[in-house]
Structure formats: C-alpha cells, structure tokens
Amino acid sequence: MIINKGKLIYENKLSCGEDVKDFVMEGQAKVYFENGRMRMKNMLDEELGQKANFVYWCPENFPDDVIIEWEFRPVEEPGLAILFFSARGIHGEDIFDESLQKRDGQYNLYHSGDINAYHVSYFRRMWEDERSFHTCNLRKSKGFHLVVQGADPIPNVEDCRDIYNIRVVKCGGTVVFYINDLEIFNWNDDGKTYGEVLKGGKIGFRQMAPLTGEYGNLRVYEAQSK
C-alpha cells in the first residue's frame, strides 16, 4: 500500500508558552523554551520511579488516518521518549472524559488502564539493556503488547549534532515509523490479534525521568492510501 501525505490539519511550532497553552500535563514536569524550541524535564526526583514520569497531551482530536511529524533532540540522558497516538478511552471516550481514571504519568495507567493507544518509544536509554542495544518499540494497549521493533539510529547525547525529524504514519491498520526519512519499522494491525484497529483520538508526548528532551514543529497531515 502506498500512503501519501494529504492536507495539513494541525501545525504547532512548539516555540513558546503560547503555543502549548492548551496542552494537558499529566504528572509533574518543567516545560520551557530555548532557541525557539520546547524542552521538557521531570520535576519530581527520578528516585520516585514511575511517579517521576509524565505525559504532555496535545488537546486536539485527530482523524483515523494521519501522518504525525515532529522534531526531537535528546539534551540530557538517560531516559526514554514516547509518542502516544490514536489514544481514546476503552469505550471510545475522549481521554479527558471525567469518567476515566485519573492519570499522573505512571506508565501502568496508560498501558493497562482504561485507555487504548498505540505508543512508540523512540529514544530508549533507561536501563542497561537499552543503553547497550538501541531499539524503537511499538506497543498497542490496552494490554502492553509489543508488536514490532526496529533499530534506533539516534546516537547518545554526546554525539548528537542536530535535531532529528520523526514521522509516524497511521493509515487503516498500517503503522510506519521513520527517523530522518529512514524507515525504522512497518507493521500492520490485523484488528484481531490485539483487538480492533484503533481509530481517531489524541497524541501525547511522554518522557521517563531524568531525560531532558527538545521538541519542535509538530505537524499532522491527513494520510491517503492508494
């Protein structure tokens, strides 16, 4: 299947506080801006484990088939960066519906709670095995199902020279992930093995302490298949 980029439906430079005034933070983090780019850093001590981590949600609801692009650079490691997408309540609710369990950044509330989402971890430098063998992982939840992996081309912080262009393509059950136009993985959700194909919903950036990450130029396009 050939997937093309359709019309631009959302754009955010992530360059100043005004750009993210409607974003929703779950957990506690410092969000600040340097050289026109957003940086995020945990506020709670990393010794608290999962309680120190956070998710920063874009407030928009997006259609089923999208291409999500943003720029990322790791500033301080260790840590881990994730993008949630196609996130909704397990019964189709908006993720901010008051009937859903309150979330505070602890991972189990996102992968085994009362929301569904795909989530790609694309800078994994948390534990020893991740630091010695770099991969990008795609999981589908509810259920914490690891569905596909690919090699992570982003170097450690000391060797980063520039911003990295990240792209997630989600069209029907197909999910393709790119870094700097290099295809990292291509997976098809059959809608049976791990439940129905996820549709619509929100996107959110997650970090594990003590990572400092830098972000810019978030864009979402319609995805069109041929």
PDB file of all heavy atoms in Angstrom, residues 162-183:
ATOM      1  N   ASP A 162      22.462  17.483  15.719  1.00  0.00           N
ATOM      2  CA  ASP A 162      21.364  18.255  15.147  1.00  0.00           C
ATOM      3  C   ASP A 162      20.047  17.692  15.647  1.00  0.00           C
ATOM      4  O   ASP A 162      19.992  16.698  16.368  1.00  0.00           O
ATOM      5  CB  ASP A 162      21.429  18.197  13.615  1.00  0.00           C
ATOM      6  CG  ASP A 162      20.770  19.398  12.954  1.00  0.00           C
ATOM      7  OD1 ASP A 162      20.085  20.168  13.664  1.00  0.00           O
ATOM      8  OD2 ASP A 162      20.925  19.552  11.733  1.00  0.00           O
ATOM      9  N   ILE A 163      18.968  18.333  15.220  1.00  0.00           N
ATOM     10  CA  ILE A 163      17.624  17.869  15.527  1.00  0.00           C
ATOM     11  C   ILE A 163      17.304  16.678  14.627  1.00  0.00           C
ATOM     12  O   ILE A 163      17.832  16.566  13.507  1.00  0.00           O
ATOM     13  CB  ILE A 163      16.600  19.020  15.318  1.00  0.00           C
ATOM     14  CG1 ILE A 163      15.314  18.770  16.108  1.00  0.00           C
ATOM     15  CG2 ILE A 163      16.336  19.272  13.856  1.00  0.00           C
ATOM     16  CD1 ILE A 163      15.386  19.203  17.546  1.00  0.00           C
ATOM     17  N   TYR A 164      16.445  15.778  15.099  1.00  0.00           N
ATOM     18  CA  TYR A 164      16.050  14.611  14.315  1.00  0.00           C
ATOM     19  C   TYR A 164      14.583  14.728  13.930  1.00  0.00           C
ATOM     20  O   TYR A 164      13.742  15.113  14.740  1.00  0.00           O
ATOM     21  CB  TYR A 164      16.307  13.321  15.113  1.00  0.00           C
ATOM     22  CG  TYR A 164      17.781  13.095  15.295  1.00  0.00           C
ATOM     23  CD1 TYR A 164      18.456  13.688  16.365  1.00  0.00           C
ATOM     24  CD2 TYR A 164      18.522  12.368  14.377  1.00  0.00           C
ATOM     25  CE1 TYR A 164      19.824  13.537  16.511  1.00  0.00           C
ATOM     26  CE2 TYR A 164      19.899  12.211  14.514  1.00  0.00           C
ATOM     27  CZ  TYR A 164      20.533  12.795  15.591  1.00  0.00           C
ATOM     28  OH  TYR A 164      21.903  12.656  15.723  1.00  0.00           O
ATOM     29  N   ASN A 165      14.303  14.423  12.669  1.00  0.00           N
ATOM     30  CA  ASN A 165      12.946  14.512  12.141  1.00  0.00           C
ATOM     31  C   ASN A 165      12.251  13.162  12.326  1.00  0.00           C
ATOM     32  O   ASN A 165      12.702  12.139  11.804  1.00  0.00           O
ATOM     33  CB  ASN A 165      12.974  14.884  10.658  1.00  0.00           C
ATOM     34  CG  ASN A 165      13.602  16.239  10.421  1.00  0.00           C
ATOM     35  OD1 ASN A 165      13.129  17.244  10.933  1.00  0.00           O
ATOM     36  ND2 ASN A 165      14.691  16.267   9.658  1.00  0.00           N
ATOM     37  N   ILE A 166      11.154  13.168  13.080  1.00  0.00           N
ATOM     38  CA  ILE A 166      10.429  11.947  13.407  1.00  0.00           C
ATOM     39  C   ILE A 166       9.088  11.958  12.672  1.00  0.00           C
ATOM     40  O   ILE A 166       8.438  12.997  12.564  1.00  0.00           O
ATOM     41  CB  ILE A 166      10.162  11.852  14.929  1.00  0.00           C
ATOM     42  CG1 ILE A 166      11.413  12.207  15.737  1.00  0.00           C
ATOM     43  CG2 ILE A 166       9.641  10.475  15.276  1.00  0.00           C
ATOM     44  CD1 ILE A 166      12.537  11.243  15.636  1.00  0.00           C
ATOM     45  N   ARG A 167       8.673  10.783  12.179  1.00  0.00           N
ATOM     46  CA  ARG A 167       7.394  10.698  11.476  1.00  0.00           C
ATOM     47  C   ARG A 167       6.703   9.372  11.781  1.00  0.00           C
ATOM     48  O   ARG A 167       7.325   8.303  11.686  1.00  0.00           O
ATOM     49  CB  ARG A 167       7.598  10.835   9.960  1.00  0.00           C
ATOM     50  CG  ARG A 167       6.304  10.786   9.166  1.00  0.00           C
ATOM     51  CD  ARG A 167       6.483  11.362   7.761  1.00  0.00           C
ATOM     52  NE  ARG A 167       7.135  10.442   6.845  1.00  0.00           N
ATOM     53  CZ  ARG A 167       8.375  10.566   6.365  1.00  0.00           C
ATOM     54  NH1 ARG A 167       9.119  11.596   6.733  1.00  0.00           N
ATOM     55  NH2 ARG A 167       8.871   9.679   5.528  1.00  0.00           N
ATOM     56  N   VAL A 168       5.447   9.471  12.149  1.00  0.00           N
ATOM     57  CA  VAL A 168       4.588   8.303  12.334  1.00  0.00           C
ATOM     58  C   VAL A 168       3.489   8.366  11.282  1.00  0.00           C
ATOM     59  O   VAL A 168       2.785   9.379  11.165  1.00  0.00           O
ATOM     60  CB  VAL A 168       3.955   8.276  13.733  1.00  0.00           C
ATOM     61  CG1 VAL A 168       2.890   7.180  13.818  1.00  0.00           C
ATOM     62  CG2 VAL A 168       5.013   8.055  14.810  1.00  0.00           C
ATOM     63  N   VAL A 169       3.335   7.305  10.528  1.00  0.00           N
ATOM     64  CA  VAL A 169       2.253   7.177   9.553  1.00  0.00           C
ATOM     65  C   VAL A 169       1.284   6.131  10.076  1.00  0.00           C
ATOM     66  O   VAL A 169       1.674   4.997  10.377  1.00  0.00           O
ATOM     67  CB  VAL A 169       2.785   6.748   8.176  1.00  0.00           C
ATOM     68  CG1 VAL A 169       1.627   6.544   7.193  1.00  0.00           C
ATOM     69  CG2 VAL A 169       3.777   7.782   7.641  1.00  0.00           C
ATOM     70  N   LYS A 170       0.016   6.507  10.219  1.00  0.00           N
ATOM     71  CA  LYS A 170      -1.016   5.566  10.648  1.00  0.00           C
ATOM     72  C   LYS A 170      -2.163   5.655   9.647  1.00  0.00           C
ATOM     73  O   LYS A 170      -2.845   6.675   9.547  1.00  0.00           O
ATOM     74  CB  LYS A 170      -1.480   5.908  12.070  1.00  0.00           C
ATOM     75  CG  LYS A 170      -2.343   4.826  12.726  1.00  0.00           C
ATOM     76  CD  LYS A 170      -3.802   5.003  12.382  1.00  0.00           C
ATOM     77  CE  LYS A 170      -4.662   3.927  13.056  1.00  0.00           C
ATOM     78  NZ  LYS A 170      -6.083   4.025  12.615  1.00  0.00           N
ATOM     79  N   CYS A 171      -2.364   4.581   8.886  1.00  0.00           N
ATOM     80  CA  CYS A 171      -3.394   4.576   7.850  1.00  0.00           C
ATOM     81  C   CYS A 171      -4.080   3.220   7.866  1.00  0.00           C
ATOM     82  O   CYS A 171      -3.443   2.191   7.572  1.00  0.00           O
ATOM     83  CB  CYS A 171      -2.777   4.847   6.478  1.00  0.00           C
ATOM     84  SG  CYS A 171      -3.986   5.120   5.164  1.00  0.00           S
ATOM     85  N   GLY A 172      -5.364   3.193   8.248  1.00  0.00           N
ATOM     86  CA  GLY A 172      -6.021   1.915   8.474  1.00  0.00           C
ATOM     87  C   GLY A 172      -5.293   1.195   9.599  1.00  0.00           C
ATOM     88  O   GLY A 172      -5.041   1.756  10.656  1.00  0.00           O
ATOM     89  N   GLY A 173      -4.905  -0.055   9.351  1.00  0.00           N
ATOM     90  CA  GLY A 173      -4.139  -0.794  10.345  1.00  0.00           C
ATOM     91  C   GLY A 173      -2.641  -0.711  10.158  1.00  0.00           C
ATOM     92  O   GLY A 173      -1.889  -1.329  10.902  1.00  0.00           O
ATOM     93  N   THR A 174      -2.182   0.061   9.178  1.00  0.00           N
ATOM     94  CA  THR A 174      -0.751   0.162   8.901  1.00  0.00           C
ATOM     95  C   THR A 174      -0.115   1.275   9.719  1.00  0.00           C
ATOM     96  O   THR A 174      -0.617   2.403   9.739  1.00  0.00           O
ATOM     97  CB  THR A 174      -0.506   0.426   7.405  1.00  0.00           C
ATOM     98  OG1 THR A 174      -1.002  -0.684   6.654  1.00  0.00           O
ATOM     99  CG2 THR A 174       0.982   0.590   7.108  1.00  0.00           C
ATOM    100  N   VAL A 175       0.989   0.942  10.380  1.00  0.00           N
ATOM    101  CA  VAL A 175       1.767   1.933  11.124  1.00  0.00           C
ATOM    102  C   VAL A 175       3.209   1.857  10.627  1.00  0.00           C
ATOM    103  O   VAL A 175       3.840   0.799  10.675  1.00  0.00           O
ATOM    104  CB  VAL A 175       1.726   1.672  12.640  1.00  0.00           C
ATOM    105  CG1 VAL A 175       2.587   2.695  13.372  1.00  0.00           C
ATOM    106  CG2 VAL A 175       0.298   1.712  13.164  1.00  0.00           C
ATOM    107  N   VAL A 176       3.719   2.999  10.132  1.00  0.00           N
ATOM    108  CA  VAL A 176       5.097   3.072   9.651  1.00  0.00           C
ATOM    109  C   VAL A 176       5.805   4.175  10.434  1.00  0.00           C
ATOM    110  O   VAL A 176       5.226   5.244  10.663  1.00  0.00           O
ATOM    111  CB  VAL A 176       5.169   3.365   8.140  1.00  0.00           C
ATOM    112  CG1 VAL A 176       6.583   3.134   7.611  1.00  0.00           C
ATOM    113  CG2 VAL A 176       4.174   2.525   7.362  1.00  0.00           C
ATOM    114  N   PHE A 177       7.044   3.911  10.834  1.00  0.00           N
ATOM    115  CA  PHE A 177       7.792   4.849  11.657  1.00  0.00           C
ATOM    116  C   PHE A 177       9.114   5.186  10.978  1.00  0.00           C
ATOM    117  O   PHE A 177       9.824   4.294  10.509  1.00  0.00           O
ATOM    118  CB  PHE A 177       8.049   4.238  13.034  1.00  0.00           C
ATOM    119  CG  PHE A 177       8.755   5.147  13.987  1.00  0.00           C
ATOM    120  CD1 PHE A 177       8.180   6.334  14.406  1.00  0.00           C
ATOM    121  CD2 PHE A 177      10.009   4.814  14.487  1.00  0.00           C
ATOM    122  CE1 PHE A 177       8.827   7.178  15.297  1.00  0.00           C
ATOM    123  CE2 PHE A 177      10.671   5.640  15.376  1.00  0.00           C
ATOM    124  CZ  PHE A 177      10.082   6.825  15.781  1.00  0.00           C
ATOM    125  N   TYR A 178       9.414   6.502  10.934  1.00  0.00           N
ATOM    126  CA  TYR A 178      10.625   6.989  10.284  1.00  0.00           C
ATOM    127  C   TYR A 178      11.400   7.924  11.212  1.00  0.00           C
ATOM    128  O   TYR A 178      10.804   8.668  12.002  1.00  0.00           O
ATOM    129  CB  TYR A 178      10.290   7.807   9.032  1.00  0.00           C
ATOM    130  CG  TYR A 178       9.519   7.098   7.947  1.00  0.00           C
ATOM    131  CD1 TYR A 178       8.127   7.053   7.976  1.00  0.00           C
ATOM    132  CD2 TYR A 178      10.177   6.512   6.869  1.00  0.00           C
ATOM    133  CE1 TYR A 178       7.409   6.434   6.967  1.00  0.00           C
ATOM    134  CE2 TYR A 178       9.464   5.895   5.846  1.00  0.00           C
ATOM    135  CZ  TYR A 178       8.078   5.858   5.899  1.00  0.00           C
ATOM    136  OH  TYR A 178       7.370   5.253   4.894  1.00  0.00           O
ATOM    137  N   ILE A 179      12.711   7.898  11.081  1.00  0.00           N
ATOM    138  CA  ILE A 179      13.584   8.917  11.662  1.00  0.00           C
ATOM    139  C   ILE A 179      14.481   9.430  10.542  1.00  0.00           C
ATOM    140  O   ILE A 179      15.178   8.648   9.887  1.00  0.00           O
ATOM    141  CB  ILE A 179      14.431   8.367  12.821  1.00  0.00           C
ATOM    142  CG1 ILE A 179      13.511   7.897  13.964  1.00  0.00           C
ATOM    143  CG2 ILE A 179      15.414   9.422  13.331  1.00  0.00           C
ATOM    144  CD1 ILE A 179      14.253   7.285  15.139  1.00  0.00           C
ATOM    145  N   ASN A 180      14.438  10.743  10.293  1.00  0.00           N
ATOM    146  CA  ASN A 180      15.194  11.356   9.183  1.00  0.00           C
ATOM    147  C   ASN A 180      14.957  10.613   7.869  1.00  0.00           C
ATOM    148  O   ASN A 180      15.900  10.325   7.112  1.00  0.00           O
ATOM    149  CB  ASN A 180      16.685  11.402   9.505  1.00  0.00           C
ATOM    150  CG  ASN A 180      17.029  12.532  10.453  1.00  0.00           C
ATOM    151  OD1 ASN A 180      16.159  13.242  10.947  1.00  0.00           O
ATOM    152  ND2 ASN A 180      18.317  12.706  10.720  1.00  0.00           N
ATOM    153  N   ASP A 181      13.690  10.289   7.597  1.00  0.00           N
ATOM    154  CA  ASP A 181      13.258   9.615   6.373  1.00  0.00           C
ATOM    155  C   ASP A 181      13.740   8.177   6.249  1.00  0.00           C
ATOM    156  O   ASP A 181      13.514   7.531   5.215  1.00  0.00           O
ATOM    157  CB  ASP A 181      13.679  10.403   5.122  1.00  0.00           C
ATOM    158  CG  ASP A 181      12.950  11.731   4.995  1.00  0.00           C
ATOM    159  OD1 ASP A 181      11.762  11.790   5.365  1.00  0.00           O
ATOM    160  OD2 ASP A 181      13.574  12.715   4.545  1.00  0.00           O
ATOM    161  N   LEU A 182      14.404   7.654   7.272  1.00  0.00           N
ATOM    162  CA  LEU A 182      14.806   6.254   7.281  1.00  0.00           C
ATOM    163  C   LEU A 182      13.681   5.430   7.905  1.00  0.00           C
ATOM    164  O   LEU A 182      13.278   5.692   9.044  1.00  0.00           O
ATOM    165  CB  LEU A 182      16.092   6.074   8.091  1.00  0.00           C
ATOM    166  CG  LEU A 182      16.572   4.630   8.298  1.00  0.00           C
ATOM    167  CD1 LEU A 182      17.020   4.021   6.976  1.00  0.00           C
ATOM    168  CD2 LEU A 182      17.712   4.593   9.321  1.00  0.00           C
ATOM    169  N   GLU A 183      13.165   4.446   7.163  1.00  0.00           N
ATOM    170  CA  GLU A 183      12.097   3.613   7.701  1.00  0.00           C
ATOM    171  C   GLU A 183      12.651   2.700   8.792  1.00  0.00           C
ATOM    172  O   GLU A 183      13.577   1.914   8.557  1.00  0.00           O
ATOM    173  CB  GLU A 183      11.456   2.771   6.601  1.00  0.00           C
ATOM    174  CG  GLU A 183      10.273   1.937   7.097  1.00  0.00           C
ATOM    175  CD  GLU A 183       9.586   1.163   5.986  1.00  0.00           C
ATOM    176  OE1 GLU A 183       9.164   1.785   4.990  1.00  0.00           O
ATOM    177  OE2 GLU A 183       9.488  -0.077   6.130  1.00  0.00           O
TER     178      GLU A 183
END
